[in-house]
Amino acid sequence: MMHITEGSHAVAEAVRLCRPQVISAYPITPQTHIVEALAEIVADCQLDAEYITVENELSALSACVGASAAGSRTYSATTSQGLALMFEVCFNAAGMRLPIVMSIANRALGAPLSIWNDQQDSISLRDSGWLQFYAEDNQEATDLHFLAYRVAEDHSVLLPALVCFDGFILSHTYEPVDMITQEDADRFLPKFSPYERLDAADPISFGMYATPDYYLEFRYEMDRVLKQSKEIIHNAGKEFGCMFGRDYSAMIEGYRLEDADTAIVAMGSICGTTKDSIDEMRDEGKKVGLLKIRVYRPFPTEEVAKALSHVQRVAVLDKNISLGAKGAVALEVRDALYSSGIPVKDFIIGLGGRDVRKKDIKAVVALVEKGEGDIFYGLRREVL
Amino acid sequence: MVDKTLELFDCGHRACGGCGAALAARMVTKAAGTNTIVVSSTGCMEVFSTPYPETAWKVPWIHSLFENAAAVASGIEASLKKQGRNEKVVIMAGDGATFDIGMICISGAFERGHDFTYICYDNEAYMNTGIQRSGATPYDASTTTSPAGKCSFGNKRPKKDMPQILAAHGSPYVATTSIAYPADLMQKVEKAINTRGPCYVQIHAPCCTGWGFEGEQTIAIAKLAIETGLWVNYEMVEGKVVKAKKVVRKPVEEYLKTQKRFRHLFKPTRQDAEIAAIQAIADRNAEKYGIDIKLRKE
Amino acid sequence: MTLAVGCRARPGKSRDNKTGSWRVFRPVFDKEKCTKCGLCITLCPEGCISETEDEFVIPDYTYCKGCGICAKECPGKGIGMLQEEK
């Protein structure tokens, strides 16, 4: 059923439909509306869950670790500084193979303090072993929660998952969202069946330490299952499409890409602006297309290489910067296209909430067509 | 009642011979019984008991990080409640994890009122990383980060009063105990586990390697701590001290002399003022908890 | 042995680590002096002392590290520590 609702509320409703048994979160802008909405949902008995009001984000995710290990479906949400405070627990949850799902209302990281959007927070956790999904709009932000639980909990995966959507731009924006029913949600996402759990009837030690004889193999296993999860994502995304008409079988999505000379690669809400801008450029006769990355971890390297194999140049829009190197998405795309020789130019754009408009996308295309790039786009030179 | 004849902390663990913490683990698991989930923080006990795959724990056990055991336990308790299960949740953490790095998680979890028992095995320093001072290190103890030297008598601060801090959080049951008194220890652990809400038990667990004494002396030294008044075994119910172990007190010197961490108080020269300062700590403890047994004058 | 998911294990495996090899001094129990009080069983950090069928106590030398707590604490002084011969 179609509702016009705020992004945060749509996400909270999706989480309710996923039936987490334990929710543990700490408020932080711009994630607050999600956890407030969930608190209301629990207070009104619309969801039978334990809601732990922890004292900070480190405890929020730590409580999820305990709850998940004890055999419950768990949920948390955070952003930016909160995610940074969770850093240690994030690596821990993945290494312990606990399928926690967490929403990220993407926000810049300080200093300087900024409450506004970019994707530096979740990108900074790219090496942690979590699946990472990025939503273009609130419909996708909603749907990806079902997919995230389904994939994370699959016994051949057993890794936690981040569902990322741009703070304010999506979290605080009202859009029409088609919400699936509880019955449908239950069909797609069956009751949580933990692979193993803390249980007096079958005592298991969780979180042991590994000597040099084993550590390398444990990390190899995490990398292997994360890469293997591509197939699980594909199948679950396809099933979601068959059931509800929105197909998420592909980790990437092309827009007017088939005959494009110039490809833009992007993640998140910026894809919407880019599509509008591409439509206008097409009207002007420019062969520009978009490759949207929906799943950043595991990274769809082969898929990206195949989708871009015919283009002449690529411009990557990075809402993050690996300081001292490049934008994190550009590094991956360049790796994917290495043997093709197709030039990949990086554009660090929209950091800390700087608005990205259609004309900015056009300017990026104009630059990459001249062979320029690898820049911070839109710098206010007068303050430098 | 749990079957206390069961050994739930297995042989083969890698603790030093004579380890007070290993003995604490054995006694606590005995008192807690099989219907228990143990949460450990990073530390000596975690390391000596769980190199993959050689776990010494025969009850379900989890270790996540150094600072978050109370938060992990919060999640486990909530999870069990939601599933309608009745296992007891017991945290086993060292004094570094409890007094220092885990303080925020502990404060939050106690304030929220989760039903768990937090047990701190207190060996009065960071032993796992090589004997650095913690908030539980006693006054004048020499550690690798509070070494005695030409212008230092070791640790400059007395122990943080963690039991009082947790009693102030509204904990219904707070107790201190010692591995030298196994019956007292097991009875207090059992009482804590069967009291609803967040309970706290702090166990004095001498560390032969960190304190500098032979492993065979572990129990004897734990006893001396109590007999000198430098450690008091007491119980607090709803924030009030209801019981404390009384002793005929010995001078603190008898305790200090047994351990290398206090050797600088006696050699090369005797430091009377410092010993007097430590005696004053014991005297304050004795007065505060009323532990002195008054002997009738002959 | 296949790697367990998430570095987990079930009980029993610590027994593969036979800590008796650490021992320098060996506790020797004197049956005559033993009052069967059980204090040595209670105070052993290894939990490796147990009662035998004839109600005497013996340590499991496979795991006994020879710390000497049992000898030190035995009220009847019924346990001696003898140097191991290698």
Side-chain angles (χ1 to χ4, degrees):
Chain A
M1 207 175 126
M2 205 60 109
H3 300 273
I4 293 180
T5 179
E6 191 192 277
S8 296
H9 294 157
V11 165
E13 178 62 10
V15 171
R16 179 183 78 79
L17 294 171
C18 289
R19 297 186 192 271
Q21 293 151 290
V22 177
I23 296 169
S24 172
Y26 187 78
I28 179 170
T29 304
Q31 154 267 37
T32 38
H33 291 184
I34 304 171
V35 294
E36 286 170 355
L38 280 167
E40 251 182 70
I41 285 168
V42 173
D44 287 338
C45 306
Q46 293 172 48
L47 173 66
D48 183 21
E50 287 291 316
Y51 188 109
I52 312 177
T53 50
V54 283
E55 74 287 353
N56 64 37
E57 287 89 353
L58 184 135
S59 285
L61 192 56
S62 297
C64 287
V65 164
S68 183
S72 291
R73 180 173 288 159
T74 61
Y75 173 78
S76 192
T78 191
T79 176
S80 179
Q81 311 301 132
L83 188 60
L85 189 56
M86 287 179 181
F87 184 86
E88 191 186 7
V89 198
C90 285
F91 279 71
N92 189 255
M96 289 176 78
R97 307 288 300 277
L98 300 171
I100 299 158
V101 170
M102 181 156 68
S103 309
I104 303 295
N106 282 115
R107 168 185 147 181
L109 271 170
L113 181 74
S114 165
I115 60 164
W116 294 279
N117 166 253
D118 63 35
Q119 294 164 348
Q120 190 70 58
D121 48 2
S122 49
I123 286 288
S124 299
L125 277 174
R126 63 181 189 177
D127 303 334
S128 65
W130 287 57
L131 294 139
Q132 289 201 9
F133 298 90
Y134 287 81
E136 176 185 343
D137 54 28
N138 286 340
Q139 183 66 62
E140 211 171 37
T142 304
D143 293 342
L144 287 178
H145 282 82
F146 302 101
L147 192 68
Y149 271 115
R150 175 74 182 265
V151 176
E153 292 174 0
D154 190 292
H155 285 195
S156 67
V157 179
L158 296 171
L159 285 171
L162 292 183
V163 180
C164 308
F165 51 105
D166 290 316
F168 290 119
I169 299 170
L170 293 180
S171 66
H172 285 55
T173 301
Y174 280 71
E175 284 182 351
V177 169
D178 179 29
M179 196 62 69
I180 65 175
T181 64
Q182 184 69 68
E183 201 186 346
D184 285 342
D186 291 345
R187 268 199 301 144
F188 180 75
L189 181 65
K191 212 166 160 249
F192 180 44
S193 137
Y195 173 71
E196 284 168 339
R197 66 176 194 183
L198 294 165
D199 189 338
D202 178 17
I204 297 174
S205 290
F206 278 61
M208 302 175 73
Y209 76 94
T211 58
D213 287 340
Y214 289 104
Y215 185 84
L216 185 69
E217 284 72 21
F218 277 112
R219 300 302 283 182
Y220 166 80
E221 272 299 287
M222 285 173 72
D223 183 60
R224 185 183 66 79
V225 296
L226 190 50
K227 283 172 178 157
Q228 209 176 50
S229 72
K230 286 183 180 183
E231 198 188 324
I232 313 295
I233 295 168
H234 173 81
N235 294 340
K238 194 169 174 183
E239 192 182 320
F240 194 93
C242 291
M243 288 171 79
F244 312 118
R246 293 180 295 276
D247 190 322
Y248 296 113
S249 60
M251 297 165 72
I252 52 172
E253 242 176 52
Y255 180 76
R256 304 188 80 166
L257 189 62
E258 305 78 21
D259 62 339
D261 295 331
T262 302
I264 297 169
V265 178
M267 296 200 305
S269 64
I270 200 171
C271 292
T273 316
T274 305
K275 284 177 184 173
D276 288 347
S277 150
I278 284 171
D279 287 345
E280 291 180 12
M281 285 186 277
R282 284 274 177 177
D283 291 344
E284 292 160 17
K286 282 192 166 186
K287 288 173 131 180
V288 184
L290 167 73
L291 181 71
K292 165 175 131 181
I293 295 176
R294 182 158 49 225
V295 184
Y296 178 68
R297 280 294 180 272
F299 193 79
T301 309
E302 295 79 24
E303 292 83 350
V304 167
K306 197 171 163 211
L308 297 177
S309 60
H310 63 285
V311 305
Q312 290 175 25
R313 63 194 74 85
V314 176
V316 180
L317 307 179
D318 260 308
K319 275 196 168 184
N320 71 85
I321 169 72
S322 179
L323 296 168
K326 296 267 183 309
V329 182
L331 289 170
E332 312 266 2
V333 172
R334 203 167 280 177
D335 172 47
L337 293 179
Y338 178 70
S339 56
S340 72
I342 299 167
V344 177
K345 295 293 179 188
D346 192 15
F347 295 85
I348 307 301
I349 198 166
L351 300 191
R354 182 71 58 87
D355 205 11
V356 180
R357 301 148 298 181
K358 284 190 285 188
K359 66 175 188 184
D360 297 316
I361 306 295
K362 289 179 190 169
V364 162
V365 169
L367 284 167
V368 78
E369 281 176 344
K370 285 191 286 178
E372 292 175 23
D374 292 345
I375 55 164
F376 277 62
Y377 172 83
L379 284 179
R380 292 175 55 225
R381 294 278 171 196
E382 67 273 23
V383 300
L384 293 172
Chain B
M1 278 291 281
V2 300
D3 178 359
K4 294 200 183 57
T5 63
L6 293 175
E7 293 292 344
L8 299 173
F9 189 70
D10 215 346
C11 295
H13 63 73
R14 289 156 165 81
C16 305
C19 173
L23 183 50
R26 225 191 114 215
M27 289 180 188
V28 167
T29 46
K30 265 179 182 291
T34 52
N35 196 40
T36 305
I37 293 170
V38 173
V39 185
S40 279
S41 59
T42 309
C44 251
M45 185 181 291
E46 171 257 330
V47 168
F48 70 61
S49 65
T50 59
Y52 176 83
E54 295 179 0
T55 182
W57 299 87
K58 292 161 110 174
V59 289
W61 177 91
I62 182 170
H63 158 254
S64 167
L65 302 170
F66 195 2
E67 70 279 17
N68 71 351
V72 172
S74 303
I76 294 172
E77 185 249 20
S79 187
L80 297 179
K81 203 181 199 180
K82 196 43 53 193
Q83 296 171 42
R85 290 161 60 188
N86 68 355
E87 286 111 312
K88 302 290 188 183
V89 182
V90 173
I91 298 148
M92 285 286 277
D95 51 285
T98 305
F99 286 58
D100 298 344
I101 199 169
M103 193 75 189
I104 303 177
C105 291
I106 293 168
S107 178
F110 272 72
E111 174 270 315
R112 289 189 300 272
H114 294 277
D115 186 15
F116 63 47
T117 296
Y118 192 109
I119 291 168
C120 170
Y121 67 96
D122 182 4
N123 53 24
E124 305 189 324
Y126 292 91
M127 298 318 186
N128 188 40
T129 41
I131 316 145
Q132 294 85 18
R133 83 168 289 275
S134 78
T137 302
Y139 181 73
D140 270 1
S142 183
T143 71
T144 55
T145 52
S146 64
K150 281 180 186 157
C151 53
S152 163
F153 291 114
N155 190 46
K156 291 178 174 59
R157 300 284 303 155
K159 282 173 85 82
K160 187 193 276 188
D161 195 346
M162 197 66 186
Q164 288 285 357
I165 291 167
L166 293 177
H169 277 72
S171 170
Y173 182 75
V174 169
T176 55
T177 183
S178 161
I179 54 158
Y181 297 90
D184 181 70
L185 186 155
M186 301 219 284
Q187 180 235 320
K188 281 172 176 166
V189 169
E190 209 172 352
K191 194 163 171 186
I193 286 172
N194 291 314
T195 302
R196 223 184 142 66
C199 299
Y200 180 68
V201 180
Q202 189 168 301
I203 302 175
H204 201 219
C207 167
C208 46
T209 308
W211 297 8
F213 61 83
E214 290 300 323
E216 63 176 24
Q217 301 290 337
T218 301
I219 304 295
I221 284 174
K223 271 192 186 148
L224 272 174
I226 286 177
E227 288 164 357
T228 53
L230 285 172
W231 182 275
V232 180
N233 274 357
Y234 62 90
E235 273 183 307
M236 292 174 87
V237 174
E238 302 295 349
K240 291 210 166 57
V241 178
V242 295
K243 211 161 133 193
K245 181 176 172 57
K246 291 186 190 279
V247 291
V248 180
R249 270 199 299 145
K250 296 177 175 172
V252 294
E253 239 182 282
E254 290 191 27
Y255 174 69
L256 303 176
K257 272 185 166 169
T258 59
Q259 304 157 53
K260 279 191 192 148
R261 63 177 174 160
F262 296 116
R263 187 173 47 185
H264 57 286
L265 301 179
F266 302 96
K267 282 175 188 171
T269 50
R270 194 187 155 88
Q271 304 296 335
D272 286 319
E274 291 304 307
I275 295 167
I278 297 171
Q279 185 61 55
I281 292 171
D283 293 347
R284 275 200 300 276
N285 280 346
E287 199 190 331
K288 184 174 175 187
Y289 296 102
I291 61 170
D292 280 336
I293 296 174
K294 309 273 187 238
L295 293 177
R296 244 182 280 164
K297 279 178 188 159
E298 301 273 322
Chain C
M1 190 191 72
T2 320
L3 211 61
V5 168
C7 204
R8 303 170 192 168
R10 288 189 162 76
K13 290 296 281 179
S14 69
R15 287 191 163 261
D16 290 358
N17 185 45
K18 308 215 175 344
T19 50
S21 64
W22 300 11
R23 203 170 49 244
V24 179
F25 292 95
R26 180 189 188 86
V28 180
F29 288 63
D30 183 341
K31 200 169 180 175
E32 300 299 310
K33 290 183 181 166
C34 178
T35 61
K36 302 162 188 79
C37 71
L39 193 62
C40 56
I41 298 175
T42 305
L43 294 179
C44 174
E46 310 311 311
C48 73
I49 306 176
S50 54
E51 240 175 284
T52 59
E53 278 175 17
D54 61 353
E55 291 183 26
F56 184 51
V57 290
I58 51 156
D60 183 343
Y61 291 110
T62 313
Y63 299 104
C64 169
K65 294 170 185 166
C67 73
I69 286 181
C70 55
K72 168 86 183 159
E73 299 301 325
C74 177
K77 306 245 177 289
I79 306 169
M81 297 298 289
L82 293 184
Q83 184 143 17
E84 289 281 353
E85 284 171 31
K86 298 270 167 181

